[in-house]
Amino acid sequence: MALLWLAVLLTSASSLPQSQEGRTEPQCVLRVCPAFCCFRETRRPDRYGSSGSDRYSPIKNLRIEPVERRLTWDLHGNVSEIMCFINSKFITKAINNNRYCQFHILPSCEVKNFSVSLTKGPPFSVGIQYPLQEGNPGAAAQGLDCRVHDVDFLTCSWEVGREAPRDIQYHLYWQDLRTQREYECPNYEMDNRGKLVRCHFNDVSRLPKLLQILVRGTSPGVRIPCSDRTVELSEIEILNPPTITAMCNKSSLMMEWEACSHFNNRFEYELQLQKGSDPAYTEKLQEKFFELHNPRNYVARLRAKGFYRKSWSEWSAPQRFACDVGEDSQRPDWLLSALVLLATLLVLGLVIALCGRYSVLQKLFPPIPHMRDPITDNLQSSKLVAWEGSRASREDCPVAEVQVLGET
């Protein structure tokens, strides 16, 4: 009997887990979901049941709702907080009592992994892939790239897929993220095989600042996956280098410029200056002007970028500014005024000298003859002339002899 009980105990011990560590290591279960390819659960079997069943999982039926742009699920039990990830990158937290995660944008073509996990409690995560991949990815448009350039234009380009059929053709659409309406490209360009590989928009001011670009391929009887890219126009803008205008005066050179953009209204600038043969140096500015004092011969060029952006425009073409600042123009203003005053005095002195030389004043203002001074009783002229009574006077008026009898 004792031998029988010993055999039972040994059999029971052999059926137990060999290590307690197996209870703490998360186990991953891959489950097939026809609508969105697959989902994956990671959990501890002692907390949520066996690894082969999701009977006790807090999150079930994980799914994407494209129209509402959200990741939602069925919640079982109480959880503190749920986080949502795209390709293992944290995006947002669940809202509405941990019922779903709201996204601003969902991918339309590129397959991405969406997953959720708990912030507290035993490790648990579940995920799906979205959207469903259809067709041969090697036939889809490759290298989709978009750029805003020359202020007003948006250009998107792509390449034909390496495994695309010979009769494939591509078309580009942009999607309004508010209304989810799609609009086709207005201006295409072809390559030498007749495939559409480029699209132009002539007025970006009419486009939303954030939009989704899609390129769809078509071929009779073949499914071609699309290619997509979400773009913020301010981030893909290539600024034109500003043109410098300048004004010179006797003491300074004032440079001004203006950067143009439909999406950026604040800029940073780098102004590179070189004086004569000296090494060039760079000034970092946020203003739209720069002043140089006592300028001579400068070469300047400029580039710009949006204040919150990383990419710079190209450098503007070098511009040479040579202000004509000679020795005469550098004389102080008071010296110039003194020279003008001195010249005026010299001219005035010369005029007075000439007038004295030719007795111009006496001819203009002749003295009154025999004018009696009522105060000194002297004649105005100090010169005495001898009177000859026998000789006729040369004056026009008659002269009478006056005899002085006495003083009164």
Side-chain angles (χ1 to χ4, degrees), residues 188-297:
Y188 285 110
E189 285 188 21
M190 294 184 178
D191 62 5
N192 54 7
R193 297 175 294 176
K195 309 300 181 184
L196 302 179
V197 293
R198 192 170 291 107
C199 167
H200 297 283
F201 298 87
N202 294 330
D203 188 1
V204 295
S205 64
R206 298 188 178 187
L207 297 176
K209 293 184 179 180
L210 182 67
L211 49 85
Q212 194 169 33
I213 303 293
L214 304 98
V215 177
R216 293 191 172 97
T218 57
S219 176
V222 180
R223 285 185 175 271
I224 308 296
C226 63
S227 299
D228 66 341
R229 181 180 177 186
T230 302
V231 297
E232 185 174 353
L233 297 183
S234 62
E235 293 185 349
I236 63 171
E237 182 178 27
I238 301 175
L239 291 173
N240 286 350
T243 300
I244 304 173
T245 59
M247 295 184 297
C248 285
N249 57 29
K250 298 177 182 178
S251 60
S252 65
L253 168 66
M254 177 62 74
M255 292 181 286
E256 296 180 345
W257 53 82
E258 185 75 33
C260 297
S261 171
H262 291 290
F263 312 104
N264 294 288
N265 52 20
R266 188 178 177 186
F267 302 93
E268 288 183 283
Y269 304 97
E270 284 191 351
L271 177 65
Q272 189 179 86
L273 298 167
Q274 184 176 16
K275 181 179 180 181
S277 59
D278 296 343
Y281 64 95
T282 302
E283 297 281 352
K284 294 184 178 293
L285 307 166
Q286 295 183 20
E287 299 81 9
K288 302 176 183 178
F289 60 88
F290 187 76
E291 184 177 10
L292 283 171
H293 297 283
N294 300 321
R296 289 286 184 171
N297 186 6

Side-chain angles (χ1 to χ4, degrees), residues 25 55-56 74 120 125 151 173 185 276 285 313 347 376 381 408:
E25 292 180 354
R55 179 178 177 183
Y56 300 105
D74 297 332
K120 294 181 180 180
S125 68
V151 182
Y173 303 84
C185 170
L285 307 166
S313 70
V347 172
T376 61
S381 176
T408 57

